Amino acid sequence: MSENPAKSSFGTATPGQGKVAARMPKDERLARASPRSVGKPAAGLSDGTLSGLRSTRPPSPRGKKAKPATQYDRFIPNRSAMDMASSQFNIARADGDAPLDGATIAYQEEVARACGVSINKRILTFKEEAPTSEKDDLRQVYSRPALKSSASTSAKRRILNTPERVLDAPGLVDDYYLNLLDWSVSNTLAIGLDQSVYLWNASSGDVDSLCQLEGESYIASIKWAADGSYLAIGTSEGDVEIWDAESQSKIRTMSGHQARVGVMSWERHILSSGCRDGSIWNHDVRIANHKTAELVAHDHEVCGLTWRADGALLASGGNDNRVNIWDARSTVPKFTKMQHTAAVRALAWCPWQLNLLASGGGSYDRHVHFWNTTTTARLNSIDTGSQVTSIQWSNEYRELVTSHGFPHNHLALWSYPSLAKIVDIPAHDTRVLHTAMSPDGQTIATAASDESLKFWRIFESRTKTGRAGKAGTSSAMPQAAAAGGSAAAAASALDVSRPTYIR
C-alpha cells in the first residue's frame, strides 16, 4: 500500500483507480500531484483513465498567456562598442585629484583631443550607439562661427580690381617665351622693351635707361641677383650680360649659346640660363671660364627656370611640355613630369613649403599642377580655363596668384591647399605676359602686350607697418602719383618712353 493514497481533490477515488495509482512509478505520481498537471492526463495513462478529473477554473478567453521576457541578473559590456583608450584614460584620471582651475581643465581637454580620447565618456558600454543622421542640422550650420581660413581672411581684407598705378611700356615684345620683367629687393623694377632695359625706382619714381642693344638684337630675358646689385640680361643673339645697377655699367659678357636666352635664374654666384635650343647652362660669374655645367633634357626651347630657395634643386619647363627637376650636384634630371599638354613657362617654388612646386601650362593645357619634389607625386591640379603665363606665391598668406592669357587675360587669386578661387581680376586688354612681386610681398606688377605696366595691391600686410622710407609698395608709389590724381596722370608723368627721364 502506498504511503500516499491516490486521492483527487475533486472526488473520491474508486478502488480500481487506487490500484492503478499504487502501481504507478514514483515520478508519475509526483507529476500527477503537481498543480500544473491538474486537468491534464498524467504521463503514462490514457485519456479515459482520468477523464473525470477536470479543473473547475474556467478557461481564459485570451488563450495562452505570453511568455514572460527573459530576465538577467548581470550586465555584460560589449567590448566591440567600447572605446578602450578613452576608458583607460578616464579610469586613470578618476584616481587623481580633480583639477579646480579652468586652465588645467582646458589643458587636459586639449591633450585628450590631440591623443584622440574623450573625457567624461562612459567606461562600460552595453550596446552600440544609435546611428546619427548624416544631414547637417541647419540650426548649427547657420549659427556656427566662421572658420579662420585663407578665404575668410581674404574676404576681410580689401582686394581692389583696379590697379593702383599704370605706366606705359611701349615696345614690349609680344612673345610668350620671353621673360622681361623683374623686381629687385632694393625696390627697383627692371623691364625690357625691345632693345632697351629700363629701371624704375619704386621708392622715388626715377626712371633710368640701363642699356641699348645694337643691330637687330633684342632683349630676351632679365633677372636680378639676390642682393639687387647686379642685373643679368639675356639677348636674342645668345649672349648673357651682367650689369652693375648702381654704376649702370656692364661688367662682363658671357657668350656661347647658339640661340636666344629666354629665361634665367640666380643661385648666389651661379647664373643658370635657358636657351631656345633646349639647353641649360650654369655660369659661375666669378671666373673667366664661366660655363660650369650644361643640362640637356629638353627637346625644345626652355621658357621656365627657377632655383629653389635653398639652392638644392632647379626646376625647368620647356616648349616640349616637360617639367624637369635637377639636383644641383648632377647634370641628369632627378625626375621628369609630362602631365602638361602645352608649353610650361610658369614655375614657382612655395616660400613656406620648401618641397612644393607649382607649374602652369599654355593655351592647350590651362592647368596648374602642384608637385611634391620629395616624393615626386602630383598633389593637386587646377583647371584655370586660360593660358597660364606666371605664378606668384604669397609670403604671408596661404595663397597664390596666377596670370593668364587667352581667353580671359586676367589675374586669379587662389587659396591653398583648398584651391578655392578667391577673386578674378580683369587685368589687361591682351594676355598678361609677365608678373613681378614687390620686395615687401604686397604688390604685383603686370606687363602685357597692350604696352601697359600695372600695379595691383593684392597681398596687403596684416600688420600696418608701411611707412614712408620703408622699402615696399607703401613707399614704392612715388609722389608723382599723388600730384597726378589719377592712374592716367601717373602714367603720363612717369612714361618710361620719354627721353627727358632717360639719363
Side-chain angles (χ1 to χ4, degrees):
M1 191 74 178
S2 172
E3 294 181 3
N4 296 319
K7 292 185 179 180
S8 172
S9 303
F10 302 96
T12 304
T14 60
Q17 291 175 336
K19 295 179 180 180
V20 173
R23 293 193 297 268
M24 289 173 59
K26 182 179 180 180
D27 292 341
E28 293 180 0
R29 293 199 304 270
L30 292 177
R32 182 181 176 190
S34 175
R36 297 193 179 194
S37 63
V38 175
K40 298 182 180 180
L45 299 178
S46 63
D47 293 341
T49 307
L50 297 178
S51 59
L53 299 180
R54 296 285 187 271
S55 174
T56 59
R57 182 178 297 175
S60 173
R62 298 182 181 179
K64 295 182 179 180
K65 293 184 179 180
K67 186 178 181 180
T70 305
Q71 301 294 330
Y72 298 100
D73 60 347
R74 288 184 298 170
F75 290 100
I76 302 176
N78 186 354
R79 288 183 176 271
S80 62
M82 293 173 58
D83 186 353
M84 301 302 295
S86 299
S87 299
Q88 293 175 0
F89 175 80
N90 286 306
I91 291 174
R93 184 168 174 265
D95 295 337
D97 296 334
L100 300 178
D101 57 314
T104 304
I105 296 175
Y107 174 75
Q108 290 185 356
E109 291 177 352
E110 290 295 330
V111 172
R113 188 180 299 108
C115 296
V117 298
S118 301
I119 296 180
N120 298 327
K121 188 176 181 179
R122 294 190 62 173
I123 297 176
L124 299 180
T125 303
F126 302 100
K127 60 182 178 180
E128 298 284 350
E129 294 183 359
T132 57
S133 175
E134 297 181 355
K135 296 182 179 180
D136 292 333
D137 187 355
L138 297 182
R139 291 173 297 179
Q140 297 180 1
V141 171
Y142 288 101
S143 62
R144 68 177 59 163
L147 299 177
K148 293 183 178 180
S149 62
S150 177
S152 62
T153 303
S154 62
K156 295 179 182 179
R157 76 178 193 268
R158 189 179 182 186
I159 302 176
L160 300 177
N161 58 1
T162 56
E164 283 196 336
R165 188 171 203 75
V166 180
L167 301 179
D168 290 336
L172 184 69
V173 179
D174 185 8
D175 194 327
Y176 174 80
Y177 302 99
L178 306 185
N179 293 269
L180 303 174
L181 186 68
D182 199 21
W183 208 328
S184 73
V185 294
S186 59
N187 208 17
T188 301
L189 186 75
I191 184 171
L193 301 177
D194 196 12
Q195 294 183 311
S196 304
V197 174
Y198 292 93
L199 304 180
W200 179 65
N201 189 313
S203 300
S204 63
D206 295 335
V207 179
D208 298 318
S209 177
L210 182 64
C211 69
Q212 178 88 24
L213 300 183
E214 299 178 353
E216 296 182 356
S217 16
Y218 56 88
I219 306 297
S221 59
I222 58 175
K223 192 67 178 179
W224 283 105
D227 60 358
S229 301
Y230 303 100
L231 181 67
I233 300 175
T235 70
S236 59
E237 302 299 321
D239 297 332
V240 177
E241 301 178 357
I242 308 297
W243 286 75
D244 188 322
E246 185 176 359
S247 63
Q248 297 186 9
S249 60
K250 182 168 66 174
I251 297 177
R252 67 179 300 180
T253 300
M254 298 180 292
S255 303
H257 281 295
Q258 301 301 313
R260 70 182 183 186
V261 178
V263 63
M264 295 179 294
S265 182
W266 285 90
E267 165 49 32
R268 294 182 296 177
H269 57 273
I270 299 296
L271 176 64
S272 299
S273 58
C275 184
R276 195 172 195 171
D277 61 7
S279 64
I280 301 172
W281 287 16
N282 288 341
H283 310 267
D284 191 334
V285 298
R286 304 170 300 175
I287 58 179
N289 297 325
H290 53 85
K291 182 180 178 182
T292 59
E294 182 174 0
L295 314 178
V296 180
H298 289 282
D299 298 332
H300 298 284
E301 181 170 9
V302 179
C303 50
L305 195 65
T306 179
W307 279 97
R308 199 168 75 174
D310 62 351
L313 296 178
L314 174 68
S316 65
N319 197 25
D320 53 2
N321 311 340
R322 295 180 183 176
V323 176
N324 287 322
I325 306 298
W326 308 81
D327 191 295
R329 302 162 295 182
S330 174
T331 58
V332 178
K334 182 180 179 180
F335 62 88
T336 300
K337 295 298 181 180
M338 303 182 65
Q339 276 74 9
H340 288 287
T341 57
V344 182
R345 179 189 172 209
L347 292 171
W349 292 96
C350 179
W352 29 266
Q353 186 173 336
L354 199 61
N355 62 346
L356 177 60
L357 174 70
S359 62
S363 298
Y364 294 98
D365 181 72
R366 304 181 180 185
H367 281 75
V368 175
H369 296 313
F370 298 89
W371 311 98
N372 185 325
T373 56
T374 302
T375 63
T376 73
R378 180 173 61 174
L379 303 177
N380 218 324
S381 299
I382 305 174
D383 185 357
T384 65
S386 297
Q387 177 190 46
V388 184
T389 57
S390 70
I391 300 171
Q392 296 285 348
W393 288 94
S394 171
N395 295 320
E396 186 171 356
Y397 299 92
R398 294 295 188 263
E399 298 171 359
L400 68 153
V401 168
T402 55
S403 64
H404 301 276
F406 178 82
H408 301 301
N409 309 323
H410 69 294
L411 299 177
L413 180 61
W414 309 85
S415 176
Y416 190 87
S418 66
L419 302 183
K421 182 181 288 188
I422 300 173
V423 67
D424 273 334
I425 302 175
H428 291 265
D429 296 331
T430 58
R431 62 180 177 177
V432 183
L433 291 171
H434 315 287
T435 63
M437 183 176 288
S438 61
D440 66 357
Q442 298 188 48
T443 302
I444 291 180
T446 61
S449 54
D450 58 6
E451 298 186 343
S452 65
L453 179 62
K454 298 182 180 181
F455 299 85
W456 313 84
R457 185 184 289 271
I458 297 178
F459 302 118
E460 187 172 1
S461 179
R462 294 187 179 97
T463 57
K464 304 295 183 181
T465 57
R467 293 173 182 162
K470 178 180 176 62
T473 51
S474 54
S475 60
M477 300 299 119
Q479 293 79 2
S486 65
S492 176
L494 291 177
D495 189 344
V496 296
S497 64
R498 292 193 176 188
T500 54
Y501 286 90
I502 297 176
R503 300 170 185 172

